mmCIF file of all heavy atoms in Angstrom:
data_model
loop_
_atom_site.group_PDB
_atom_site.id
_atom_site.type_symbol
_atom_site.label_atom_id
_atom_site.label_comp_id
_atom_site.label_asym_id
_atom_site.label_seq_id
_atom_site.Cartn_x
_atom_site.Cartn_y
_atom_site.Cartn_z
ATOM 1 N N GLN A 1 -67.053 34.284 -4.298
ATOM 2 C CA GLN A 1 -66.773 35.590 -3.698
ATOM 3 C C GLN A 1 -65.823 35.460 -2.518
ATOM 4 O O GLN A 1 -64.920 36.283 -2.330
ATOM 5 C CB GLN A 1 -68.077 36.241 -3.239
ATOM 6 C CG GLN A 1 -67.879 37.638 -2.673
ATOM 7 C CD GLN A 1 -68.975 38.044 -1.712
ATOM 8 O OE1 GLN A 1 -69.582 37.189 -1.058
ATOM 9 N NE2 GLN A 1 -69.228 39.334 -1.598
ATOM 10 N N SER A 2 -65.982 34.400 -1.732
ATOM 11 C CA SER A 2 -65.106 34.167 -0.580
ATOM 12 C C SER A 2 -63.657 33.964 -1.024
ATOM 13 O O SER A 2 -62.727 34.463 -0.376
ATOM 14 C CB SER A 2 -65.597 32.947 0.201
ATOM 15 O OG SER A 2 -64.725 32.633 1.256
ATOM 16 N N GLN A 3 -63.447 33.251 -2.131
ATOM 17 C CA GLN A 3 -62.087 33.006 -2.624
ATOM 18 C C GLN A 3 -61.498 34.270 -3.264
ATOM 19 O O GLN A 3 -60.310 34.568 -3.093
ATOM 20 C CB GLN A 3 -62.087 31.858 -3.648
ATOM 21 C CG GLN A 3 -62.867 30.619 -3.228
ATOM 22 C CD GLN A 3 -62.559 30.181 -1.804
ATOM 23 O OE1 GLN A 3 -61.406 30.160 -1.374
ATOM 24 N NE2 GLN A 3 -63.599 29.840 -1.056
ATOM 25 N N LEU A 4 -62.351 35.010 -3.975
ATOM 26 C CA LEU A 4 -61.881 36.232 -4.627
ATOM 27 C C LEU A 4 -61.446 37.281 -3.611
ATOM 28 O O LEU A 4 -60.536 38.070 -3.881
ATOM 29 C CB LEU A 4 -62.992 36.813 -5.510
ATOM 30 C CG LEU A 4 -63.213 36.120 -6.854
ATOM 31 C CD1 LEU A 4 -64.508 36.605 -7.482
ATOM 32 C CD2 LEU A 4 -62.046 36.362 -7.796
ATOM 33 N N LYS A 5 -62.069 37.287 -2.461
ATOM 34 C CA LYS A 5 -61.713 38.260 -1.429
ATOM 35 C C LYS A 5 -60.247 38.096 -1.022
ATOM 36 O O LYS A 5 -59.505 39.081 -0.902
ATOM 37 C CB LYS A 5 -62.626 38.093 -0.221
ATOM 38 C CG LYS A 5 -62.432 39.150 0.844
ATOM 39 C CD LYS A 5 -63.451 38.992 1.958
ATOM 40 C CE LYS A 5 -63.281 40.101 2.998
ATOM 41 N NZ LYS A 5 -64.280 39.981 4.093
ATOM 42 N N ILE A 6 -59.819 36.849 -0.833
ATOM 43 C CA ILE A 6 -58.423 36.581 -0.459
ATOM 44 C C ILE A 6 -57.493 36.908 -1.620
ATOM 45 O O ILE A 6 -56.450 37.555 -1.448
ATOM 46 C CB ILE A 6 -58.249 35.103 -0.057
ATOM 47 C CG1 ILE A 6 -59.119 34.779 1.154
ATOM 48 C CG2 ILE A 6 -56.783 34.797 0.252
ATOM 49 C CD1 ILE A 6 -59.156 33.324 1.513
ATOM 50 N N ILE A 7 -57.874 36.464 -2.814
ATOM 51 C CA ILE A 7 -57.037 36.694 -3.991
ATOM 52 C C ILE A 7 -56.842 38.183 -4.230
ATOM 53 O O ILE A 7 -55.726 38.648 -4.522
ATOM 54 C CB ILE A 7 -57.662 36.027 -5.231
ATOM 55 C CG1 ILE A 7 -57.663 34.495 -5.087
ATOM 56 C CG2 ILE A 7 -56.923 36.448 -6.493
ATOM 57 C CD1 ILE A 7 -56.294 33.875 -5.002
ATOM 58 N N ASN A 8 -57.902 38.965 -4.090
ATOM 59 C CA ASN A 8 -57.804 40.406 -4.314
ATOM 60 C C ASN A 8 -56.871 41.076 -3.320
ATOM 61 O O ASN A 8 -56.147 42.012 -3.661
ATOM 62 C CB ASN A 8 -59.194 41.045 -4.232
ATOM 63 C CG ASN A 8 -59.974 40.878 -5.523
ATOM 64 O OD1 ASN A 8 -59.632 40.064 -6.364
ATOM 65 N ND2 ASN A 8 -61.025 41.657 -5.680
ATOM 66 N N ILE A 9 -56.890 40.606 -2.081
ATOM 67 C CA ILE A 9 -55.995 41.165 -1.058
ATOM 68 C C ILE A 9 -54.539 40.951 -1.469
ATOM 69 O O ILE A 9 -53.715 41.875 -1.386
ATOM 70 C CB ILE A 9 -56.264 40.515 0.314
ATOM 71 C CG1 ILE A 9 -57.626 40.972 0.855
ATOM 72 C CG2 ILE A 9 -55.157 40.864 1.311
ATOM 73 C CD1 ILE A 9 -58.066 40.248 2.106
ATOM 74 N N TYR A 10 -54.223 39.757 -1.945
ATOM 75 C CA TYR A 10 -52.839 39.461 -2.330
ATOM 76 C C TYR A 10 -52.442 40.162 -3.629
ATOM 77 O O TYR A 10 -51.287 40.575 -3.782
ATOM 78 C CB TYR A 10 -52.650 37.943 -2.449
ATOM 79 C CG TYR A 10 -52.370 37.299 -1.117
ATOM 80 C CD1 TYR A 10 -53.410 36.879 -0.291
ATOM 81 C CD2 TYR A 10 -51.075 37.127 -0.655
ATOM 82 C CE1 TYR A 10 -53.165 36.302 0.945
ATOM 83 C CE2 TYR A 10 -50.805 36.553 0.571
ATOM 84 C CZ TYR A 10 -51.855 36.146 1.371
ATOM 85 O OH TYR A 10 -51.601 35.590 2.610
ATOM 86 N N ILE A 11 -53.384 40.327 -4.552
ATOM 87 C CA ILE A 11 -53.067 41.055 -5.783
ATOM 88 C C ILE A 11 -52.720 42.501 -5.458
ATOM 89 O O ILE A 11 -51.774 43.076 -6.008
ATOM 90 C CB ILE A 11 -54.243 40.981 -6.776
ATOM 91 C CG1 ILE A 11 -54.335 39.581 -7.378
ATOM 92 C CG2 ILE A 11 -54.073 42.011 -7.891
ATOM 93 C CD1 ILE A 11 -55.490 39.398 -8.344
ATOM 94 N N LYS A 12 -53.463 43.111 -4.538
ATOM 95 C CA LYS A 12 -53.184 44.501 -4.150
ATOM 96 C C LYS A 12 -51.818 44.626 -3.483
ATOM 97 O O LYS A 12 -51.121 45.627 -3.662
ATOM 98 C CB LYS A 12 -54.284 45.010 -3.214
ATOM 99 C CG LYS A 12 -55.612 45.251 -3.912
ATOM 100 C CD LYS A 12 -56.678 45.725 -2.940
ATOM 101 C CE LYS A 12 -58.000 45.966 -3.657
ATOM 102 N NZ LYS A 12 -59.069 46.396 -2.725
ATOM 103 N N ILE A 13 -51.439 43.610 -2.710
ATOM 104 C CA ILE A 13 -50.109 43.625 -2.084
ATOM 105 C C ILE A 13 -49.023 43.540 -3.156
ATOM 106 O O ILE A 13 -48.032 44.290 -3.131
ATOM 107 C CB ILE A 13 -49.965 42.458 -1.083
ATOM 108 C CG1 ILE A 13 -50.926 42.646 0.100
ATOM 109 C CG2 ILE A 13 -48.523 42.355 -0.587
ATOM 110 C CD1 ILE A 13 -50.978 41.454 1.044
ATOM 111 N N ILE A 14 -49.225 42.642 -4.119
ATOM 112 C CA ILE A 14 -48.227 42.437 -5.175
ATOM 113 C C ILE A 14 -48.180 43.638 -6.119
ATOM 114 O O ILE A 14 -47.132 43.927 -6.713
ATOM 115 C CB ILE A 14 -48.538 41.138 -5.945
ATOM 116 C CG1 ILE A 14 -48.374 39.933 -5.015
ATOM 117 C CG2 ILE A 14 -47.633 40.978 -7.162
ATOM 118 C CD1 ILE A 14 -48.822 38.629 -5.612
ATOM 119 N N GLU A 15 -49.287 44.363 -6.241
ATOM 120 C CA GLU A 15 -49.324 45.527 -7.126
ATOM 121 C C GLU A 15 -48.444 46.673 -6.632
ATOM 122 O O GLU A 15 -48.199 47.623 -7.374
ATOM 123 C CB GLU A 15 -50.758 46.039 -7.273
ATOM 124 C CG GLU A 15 -51.560 45.288 -8.317
ATOM 125 C CD GLU A 15 -52.931 45.895 -8.488
ATOM 126 O OE1 GLU A 15 -53.531 46.368 -7.505
ATOM 127 O OE2 GLU A 15 -53.421 45.907 -9.623
ATOM 128 N N ASN A 16 -47.984 46.608 -5.405
ATOM 129 C CA ASN A 16 -47.076 47.634 -4.884
ATOM 130 C C ASN A 16 -45.808 47.630 -5.731
ATOM 131 O O ASN A 16 -45.074 46.645 -5.756
ATOM 132 C CB ASN A 16 -46.750 47.347 -3.420
ATOM 133 C CG ASN A 16 -45.872 48.416 -2.788
ATOM 134 O OD1 ASN A 16 -45.351 49.297 -3.470
ATOM 135 N ND2 ASN A 16 -45.703 48.338 -1.500
ATOM 136 N N GLN A 17 -45.541 48.740 -6.427
ATOM 137 C CA GLN A 17 -44.425 48.759 -7.367
ATOM 138 C C GLN A 17 -43.060 48.745 -6.685
ATOM 139 O O GLN A 17 -42.038 48.594 -7.348
ATOM 140 C CB GLN A 17 -44.534 49.969 -8.294
ATOM 141 C CG GLN A 17 -44.554 51.303 -7.598
ATOM 142 C CD GLN A 17 -44.568 52.454 -8.587
ATOM 143 O OE1 GLN A 17 -44.248 52.281 -9.763
ATOM 144 N NE2 GLN A 17 -44.919 53.628 -8.130
ATOM 145 N N LYS A 18 -43.030 48.885 -5.357
ATOM 146 C CA LYS A 18 -41.761 48.814 -4.641
ATOM 147 C C LYS A 18 -41.498 47.426 -4.056
ATOM 148 O O LYS A 18 -40.473 47.200 -3.422
ATOM 149 C CB LYS A 18 -41.717 49.867 -3.537
ATOM 150 C CG LYS A 18 -41.614 51.295 -4.068
ATOM 151 C CD LYS A 18 -41.121 52.256 -3.024
ATOM 152 C CE LYS A 18 -40.814 53.608 -3.618
ATOM 153 N NZ LYS A 18 -40.233 54.549 -2.634
ATOM 154 N N LEU A 19 -42.434 46.510 -4.253
ATOM 155 C CA LEU A 19 -42.233 45.138 -3.786
ATOM 156 C C LEU A 19 -41.101 44.484 -4.566
ATOM 157 O O LEU A 19 -41.024 44.609 -5.790
ATOM 158 C CB LEU A 19 -43.523 44.338 -3.973
ATOM 159 C CG LEU A 19 -43.515 42.910 -3.431
ATOM 160 C CD1 LEU A 19 -43.725 42.928 -1.926
ATOM 161 C CD2 LEU A 19 -44.606 42.084 -4.107
ATOM 162 N N CYS A 20 -40.199 43.788 -3.874
ATOM 163 C CA CYS A 20 -39.098 43.103 -4.562
ATOM 164 C C CYS A 20 -39.389 41.610 -4.676
ATOM 165 O O CYS A 20 -40.243 41.070 -3.972
ATOM 166 C CB CYS A 20 -37.770 43.348 -3.846
ATOM 167 S SG CYS A 20 -37.584 42.504 -2.262
ATOM 168 N N ALA A 21 -38.680 40.952 -5.578
ATOM 169 C CA ALA A 21 -38.924 39.542 -5.869
ATOM 170 C C ALA A 21 -38.673 38.655 -4.652
ATOM 171 O O ALA A 21 -39.314 37.620 -4.486
ATOM 172 C CB ALA A 21 -38.042 39.091 -7.034
ATOM 173 N N VAL A 22 -37.748 39.060 -3.786
ATOM 174 C CA VAL A 22 -37.452 38.271 -2.588
ATOM 175 C C VAL A 22 -38.641 38.301 -1.628
ATOM 176 O O VAL A 22 -39.016 37.282 -1.040
ATOM 177 C CB VAL A 22 -36.182 38.811 -1.896
ATOM 178 C CG1 VAL A 22 -35.895 38.026 -0.631
ATOM 179 C CG2 VAL A 22 -34.995 38.745 -2.845
ATOM 180 N N GLU A 23 -39.256 39.472 -1.466
ATOM 181 C CA GLU A 23 -40.456 39.575 -0.631
ATOM 182 C C GLU A 23 -41.601 38.781 -1.241
ATOM 183 O O GLU A 23 -42.426 38.213 -0.526
ATOM 184 C CB GLU A 23 -40.874 41.034 -0.481
ATOM 185 C CG GLU A 23 -39.893 41.894 0.300
ATOM 186 C CD GLU A 23 -40.276 43.356 0.293
ATOM 187 O OE1 GLU A 23 -40.220 43.977 -0.785
ATOM 188 O OE2 GLU A 23 -40.633 43.875 1.368
ATOM 189 N N LEU A 24 -41.650 38.754 -2.584
ATOM 190 C CA LEU A 24 -42.719 38.041 -3.273
ATOM 191 C C LEU A 24 -42.693 36.547 -2.961
ATOM 192 O O LEU A 24 -43.745 35.905 -2.875
ATOM 193 C CB LEU A 24 -42.597 38.262 -4.775
ATOM 194 C CG LEU A 24 -43.691 37.629 -5.635
ATOM 195 C CD1 LEU A 24 -45.041 38.242 -5.335
ATOM 196 C CD2 LEU A 24 -43.357 37.777 -7.114
ATOM 197 N N ILE A 25 -41.509 36.000 -2.786
ATOM 198 C CA ILE A 25 -41.394 34.572 -2.456
ATOM 199 C C ILE A 25 -42.171 34.260 -1.184
ATOM 200 O O ILE A 25 -42.959 33.301 -1.117
ATOM 201 C CB ILE A 25 -39.916 34.174 -2.290
ATOM 202 C CG1 ILE A 25 -39.192 34.275 -3.629
ATOM 203 C CG2 ILE A 25 -39.783 32.773 -1.720
ATOM 204 C CD1 ILE A 25 -37.713 34.007 -3.555
ATOM 205 N N LEU A 26 -41.980 35.086 -0.161
ATOM 206 C CA LEU A 26 -42.668 34.864 1.109
ATOM 207 C C LEU A 26 -44.171 35.064 0.965
ATOM 208 O O LEU A 26 -44.969 34.336 1.573
ATOM 209 C CB LEU A 26 -42.109 35.816 2.174
ATOM 210 C CG LEU A 26 -40.599 35.731 2.436
ATOM 211 C CD1 LEU A 26 -40.179 36.762 3.477
ATOM 212 C CD2 LEU A 26 -40.213 34.326 2.894
ATOM 213 N N ILE A 27 -44.576 36.045 0.164
ATOM 214 C CA ILE A 27 -46.002 36.322 -0.032
ATOM 215 C C ILE A 27 -46.685 35.167 -0.751
ATOM 216 O O ILE A 27 -47.779 34.732 -0.363
ATOM 217 C CB ILE A 27 -46.178 37.632 -0.827
ATOM 218 C CG1 ILE A 27 -45.740 38.819 0.030
ATOM 219 C CG2 ILE A 27 -47.613 37.811 -1.291
ATOM 220 C CD1 ILE A 27 -45.662 40.123 -0.721
ATOM 221 N N MET A 28 -46.047 34.650 -1.799
ATOM 222 C CA MET A 28 -46.638 33.527 -2.536
ATOM 223 C C MET A 28 -46.704 32.269 -1.689
ATOM 224 O O MET A 28 -47.651 31.475 -1.800
ATOM 225 C CB MET A 28 -45.834 33.275 -3.813
ATOM 226 C CG MET A 28 -45.855 34.430 -4.806
ATOM 227 S SD MET A 28 -47.511 34.837 -5.378
ATOM 228 C CE MET A 28 -47.875 33.431 -6.411
ATOM 229 N N GLU A 29 -45.720 32.088 -0.827
ATOM 230 C CA GLU A 29 -45.754 30.944 0.084
ATOM 231 C C GLU A 29 -46.930 31.045 1.055
ATOM 232 O O GLU A 29 -47.613 30.055 1.334
ATOM 233 C CB GLU A 29 -44.436 30.855 0.861
ATOM 234 C CG GLU A 29 -43.259 30.375 0.021
ATOM 235 C CD GLU A 29 -41.961 30.376 0.803
ATOM 236 O OE1 GLU A 29 -41.961 30.859 1.965
ATOM 237 O OE2 GLU A 29 -40.931 29.913 0.264
ATOM 238 N N LYS A 30 -47.183 32.251 1.563
ATOM 239 C CA LYS A 30 -48.313 32.452 2.478
ATOM 240 C C LYS A 30 -49.643 32.198 1.775
ATOM 241 O O LYS A 30 -50.540 31.577 2.334
ATOM 242 C CB LYS A 30 -48.282 33.878 3.032
ATOM 243 C CG LYS A 30 -47.192 34.133 4.054
ATOM 244 C CD LYS A 30 -47.259 35.567 4.563
ATOM 245 C CE LYS A 30 -46.137 35.846 5.567
ATOM 246 N NZ LYS A 30 -46.180 37.269 6.035
ATOM 247 N N LEU A 31 -49.779 32.698 0.537
ATOM 248 C CA LEU A 31 -51.017 32.500 -0.212
ATOM 249 C C LEU A 31 -51.268 31.021 -0.481
ATOM 250 O O LEU A 31 -52.383 30.520 -0.270
ATOM 251 C CB LEU A 31 -50.951 33.273 -1.533
ATOM 252 C CG LEU A 31 -52.114 33.038 -2.504
ATOM 253 C CD1 LEU A 31 -53.439 33.434 -1.861
ATOM 254 C CD2 LEU A 31 -51.892 33.795 -3.806
#
């Protein structure tokens, strides 16, 4: 549950349909 909490937060961020691939690079690096 502790790991899923973090994963779910990042999935919701990535689910934003206006997110661009360049921003995704930084997000995946943070995760």
Side-chain angles (χ1 to χ4, degrees):
Q1 183 205 28
S2 176
Q3 313 313 317
L4 283 168
K5 186 175 182 179
I6 299 173
I7 294 297
N8 279 16
I9 290 172
Y10 276 88
I11 287 178
K12 288 179 180 178
I13 294 173
I14 295 173
E15 277 184 324
N16 183 351
Q17 59 176 343
K18 290 199 171 184
L19 185 79
C20 72
V22 178
E23 294 174 293
L24 183 64
I25 293 176
L26 303 178
I27 291 171
M28 297 300 289
E29 287 177 354
K30 287 181 182 178
L31 173 60

